[in-house]
Amino acid sequence: MSVADEPVHKLPTGIRGLDPLLLGGLPAGRPTLVAGTTGSGKTVMAAEFLARGILTFGAAGVFVTFEESPADLRANIASLGFDVAAFEADGRWAFVDASAQPGGEEVVGDYDLAALVARVAHAVASVGATRVVLDSIGAVFSRYSGAGVVRRELVRVIAGLRELGVTALITAERTHDYDSIARFGVEEFVADNVVLLRNVVENEKRRRTIEILKLRGAPHRSGEFSFTIVPREGISVMPLALISLREQASTERVALGPAGLDAMLGGGVFRDSVSLGSGPTGIGKTLVATSFAAASAAAGERCLLVSFEESTDQLHRNAASWGLDLAALEAAGLLRVVSEYPEVASLEDHFVALRQHVDTFGPRRVAIDNLSALERISTTRGMRDFVIGFGSYVRSADITTLLTSSSSTLVGTESVTEVHASTLTDAIVLLRYVELASEVRRAVCVLKVRGAVHDTRIHEFRIDDHGMQVGEPFTGVSGILAGSVVPSLGPAAPSALPPLARPQGDRDEAG
Amino acid sequence: MGDDHEIHVIDVLDQPELAEEERILATPTVIRLVPLPCRRVVGDLSDHRAAALALDLPPPRGPDQRGTDR
C-alpha cells in the first residue's frame, strides 16, 4: 500500500487509561490485532471499543462474532454497563453473526469468504460504522479445514476491512502468555498493530496486563501495564505517570494537620502535592492521617480517608482519643471514611474503587492509611504502578494527598513502599522512635519538601488527647535516623541529653 | 432428482441481507432446507460424489456422467 509515508492518524478508543498508552489511540482506518489467552479480556476490550465509540464519539460499530452468539454477547456486555440492545435499536450497533451453525457445515471443495466480506460491508453501510471488531478470528481456523486456505481467506477479509476504511480491532487466541503472538500465525497478516493482553500469576497474585507490541511504526508506550475489568464500567488501565506533567504547579499551601508539623514543612504542603508519612507501628501515622482530615474539614474542604488497617469504628475511637470527632465531620459532609481489608480485592480493583470514591465524593484531599497493608496483596511492580498511577491521578485533579507507610523496623530505615514511594512523593515526613537514656521517645523529621524550604532538624513530638504535639529539636545527639543514638561530638556534646520538651510548651506551640 | 426439487440461487454480493439471515460465511454454500434435517455444504461442488454424500442425495451414476452442472 502506498500509505506507508502518510502520518498515522490515531483514533481514540475511549477506553479508560488505554489511549495514553497508545499515545492517542489506535491507527485510524487500519486493523489492530488484540491477542491473548482465554479469559484475558479480549472480547471485553472489543465490545468496549465499540461501546465507547458510540457513547463518547457518536461512532457506530459492527461486531462480527465467530464464537458467542449475539444473544450471549448482549447479556455479557450488559454486565459491563453497556446496553447493546439499545444501541442496536438506535441503529448504531450491528452484529454480524458468524458463530458456528448448530448442525455444522461440511466442506466438500474450494471456497472463499466473500459472503462474510459482503455481510460485513453490508452491516457497516447499514449503520454507518467506522469501528469494526472481529471476535475471535482463530475460530475460523477450527471451523474450516486447511489452514492455508483459511489464512488466504482471512487476508481477503482484512483487505475488505481496509477498503471500507474502518478502524478494526481483531482478536485472536494465544495458547500461552509468553509465547508466539497468536495461534495459526494470525499476526502474519494483521501484523501492523499488535496489542497483547495477559492474565498471569505472579507471586501467587493474578494480574491482568496489557502491552502495546507495535503500532505501525507510530510511537506508543512500551512494556506491560496493569489493567482491571470493572463491573458496569469496563476496562480500566492503570494510568501510571502518563498524564502529562501539568504546566503549572500549584503555589498554594494547605495545612497538613498538626500545627507544629506544618511549621516544620515551612507552612504546610502544596495544593497538588502527594506527601508520605512513614514510620514504624504505633508511632502515630494514623494520627497524622486523621489530623490531615480534620485540617481539611477546618478549611471547609472535603476529605476522603481510606484505611486499610483499621475498621471505621476503630478509627472513630482512636480519633476521639485525640480530640477529633470524625462522625461529626462525616455528618457535615466534609469527610468520607472508607475502611477496607486489603485482601478483599486485587490492587487494581482497590485502585478503581479509590477512583470511584474520588469521582463520587469529590474530595479536595485524600489520605490513605496505609500503603504497607496493600503490599500484602501486591507485587513490587504492582505497588509501584499503584503509587505512580494514583499519584498522577490525584495530582491532575488538584487533590492534596497524604499516604502513610510502615517502616519494617522500629528504629532506622526503609521498607519496600518507601523505596518506591519516596521518589514519587513531593514531601516526606519521617516518624521514628528514639531510645534516649532508657526511654523511648518520638521523633519527627521532614526529609524533603519539593520546591520549598523546610525545617531540617529532627524534632521530638508527643501524642496527647489533643493529637500530635511537636516540640523542640533534639540537640546534642546524632544517629536518630540510623536507629543508634550517640552523643554528638563537638562543643555542644558534653551535656549529651537534649532538653525534654515540656507538655505545657507543646500546647502553646500547637495552639 | 427429477422434478422433485426447487433451487434458489442467491448472489451474496447482491443480497447480503439474505446471507446474514442464513448466516453464510463461505461461498459457495449449499443449504438443503428439505427434507429435514437441514444440511449445509461449503465449497465448489466439483467433487460430485462428496457433494452428493454431504447433501444426502443419490450418488452420481458414473464417473464420466456428470450430474447437474453449476
Side-chain angles (χ1 to χ4, degrees), chain A residues 388-426:
Chain A
I388 300 176
F390 192 71
S392 57
Y393 174 67
V394 290
R395 267 197 197 94
S396 68
D398 228 9
I399 291 171
T400 317
T401 306
L402 173 69
L403 311 170
T404 70
S405 99
S406 297
S407 44
S408 47
T409 51
L410 282 184
V411 291
T413 46
E414 296 304 302
S415 78
V416 177
T417 308
E418 292 177 55
V419 169
H420 294 301
S422 52
T423 55
L424 310 171
T425 49
D426 302 302

Side-chain angles (χ1 to χ4, degrees), chain A residues 150-503:
Chain A
V150 173
R151 199 168 285 129
R152 180 195 77 199
E153 287 310 312
L154 287 178
V155 169
R156 182 200 304 275
V157 171
I158 285 154
L161 293 173
R162 286 179 191 272
E163 253 168 58
L164 291 169
V166 295
T167 306
L169 197 155
I170 298 163
T171 69
E173 286 278 320
R174 306 181 76 196
T175 43
H176 297 288
D177 278 311
Y178 295 93
D179 204 347
S180 62
I181 294 174
R183 292 178 72 189
F184 310 111
V186 172
E187 73 278 9
E188 288 168 20
F189 49 89
V190 269
D192 283 357
N193 315 301
V194 178
V195 174
L196 300 178
L197 301 182
R198 296 192 178 93
N199 189 7
V200 293
V201 175
E202 192 180 308
N203 295 349
E204 300 173 10
K205 312 286 191 308
R206 195 159 272 286
R207 179 163 173 254
R208 293 182 185 278
T209 66
I210 180 167
E211 178 181 5
I212 317 297
L213 195 65
K214 49 179 165 172
L215 216 56
R216 228 189 101 73
H220 58 85
R221 300 282 174 178
S222 56
E224 289 180 58
F225 296 85
S226 299
F227 76 95
T228 185
I229 298 172
V230 189
R232 314 217 57 78
E233 207 178 86
I235 286 173
S236 187
V237 182
M238 297 258 276
L240 293 172
L242 297 174
I243 300 160
S244 55
L245 293 172
R246 281 150 34 88
E247 297 214 342
Q248 41 189 333
S250 174
T251 53
E252 185 190 349
R253 294 290 192 106
V254 299
L256 192 68
L261 183 53
D262 279 321
M264 289 177 69
L265 287 161
V269 293
F270 287 110
R271 164 67 72 191
D272 58 352
S273 67
V274 176
S275 306
L276 177 71
S278 158
T281 177
I283 190 78
K285 297 185 298 296
T286 303
L287 165 60
V288 173
T290 48
S291 302
F292 179 74
S296 174
E301 295 173 355
R302 290 178 177 182
C303 180
L304 175 67
L305 176 56
V306 185
S307 173
F308 288 113
E309 282 201 316
E310 294 170 79
S311 70
T312 311
D313 278 354
Q314 283 175 314
L315 211 54
H316 278 110
R317 190 192 60 204
N318 295 347
S321 77
W322 302 317
L324 295 170
D325 187 353
L326 295 186
L329 301 184
E330 283 187 289
L334 290 169
L335 176 66
R336 180 185 283 186
V337 177
V338 176
S339 191
E340 293 267 32
Y341 278 109
E343 280 79 6
V344 299
S346 73
L347 193 63
E348 288 78 14
D349 292 335
H350 280 302
F351 181 92
V352 169
L354 278 176
R355 205 199 58 226
Q356 287 172 333
H357 278 299
V358 170
D359 288 348
T360 55
F361 186 57
R364 293 303 306 276
R365 300 185 184 208
V366 176
I368 300 179
D369 183 45
N370 87 42
L371 284 184
S372 304
L374 284 177
E375 271 172 26
R376 298 204 298 265
I377 57 155
S378 170
T379 62
T380 306
R381 166 76 196 263
M383 198 64 211
R384 196 186 58 202
D385 286 1
F386 178 87
V387 175
I388 300 176
F390 192 71
S392 57
Y393 174 67
V394 290
R395 267 197 197 94
S396 68
D398 228 9
I399 291 171
T400 317
T401 306
L402 173 69
L403 311 170
T404 70
S405 99
S406 297
S407 44
S408 47
T409 51
L410 282 184
V411 291
T413 46
E414 296 304 302
S415 78
V416 177
T417 308
E418 292 177 55
V419 169
H420 294 301
S422 52
T423 55
L424 310 171
T425 49
D426 302 302
I428 298 181
V429 174
L430 294 183
L431 307 175
R432 291 288 184 267
Y433 289 111
V434 181
E435 184 195 333
L436 267 181
S438 303
E439 189 188 354
V440 174
R441 288 151 73 172
R442 291 182 162 93
V444 56
C445 166
V446 175
L447 207 59
K448 77 165 177 186
V449 179
R450 223 170 244 165
V453 178
H454 61 90
D455 190 342
T456 54
R457 292 171 298 178
I458 300 172
H459 287 248
E460 178 163 20
F461 76 96
R462 290 180 304 100
I463 297 171
D464 63 15
D465 54 8
H466 287 77
M468 180 182 186
Q469 313 297 345
V470 177
E472 295 299 313
F474 287 95
T475 53
V477 292
S478 61
I480 290 174
L481 291 183
S484 54
V485 181
V486 293
S488 295
L489 300 174
S495 69
L497 289 181
L500 259 176
R502 296 268 71 86

Side-chain angles (χ1 to χ4, degrees), chain B residues 47-53 57-63 65-67:
Chain B
D47 184 342
H48 294 187
R49 195 168 294 276
L53 197 66
L57 296 174
R61 267 161 254 145
Q65 191 178 355
R66 303 250 146 176

Side-chain angles (χ1 to χ4, degrees), chain A residues 66 95-102 104-119 122 140 143-144, chain B residues 12-13 16-17 19-29 38-47 50-51 53-54:
Chain A
F66 293 97
F95 278 109
V96 171
D97 183 1
S99 59
Q101 292 285 342
E105 289 177 328
E106 193 163 337
V107 178
V108 298
D110 197 15
Y111 63 92
D112 61 32
L113 293 180
L116 177 63
V117 175
R119 287 169 65 189
H122 175 66
V140 184
R143 189 153 357 138
Y144 296 113
Chain B
V12 293
L13 298 182
E17 64 282 357
E20 186 64 46
E21 213 170 275
E22 293 294 341
R23 293 164 59 188
I24 290 166
L25 255 58
T27 38
T29 296
C38 170
R39 278 173 189 264
R40 297 166 68 104
V41 173
V42 166
D44 68 53
L45 305 174
S46 53
D47 184 342
L53 197 66

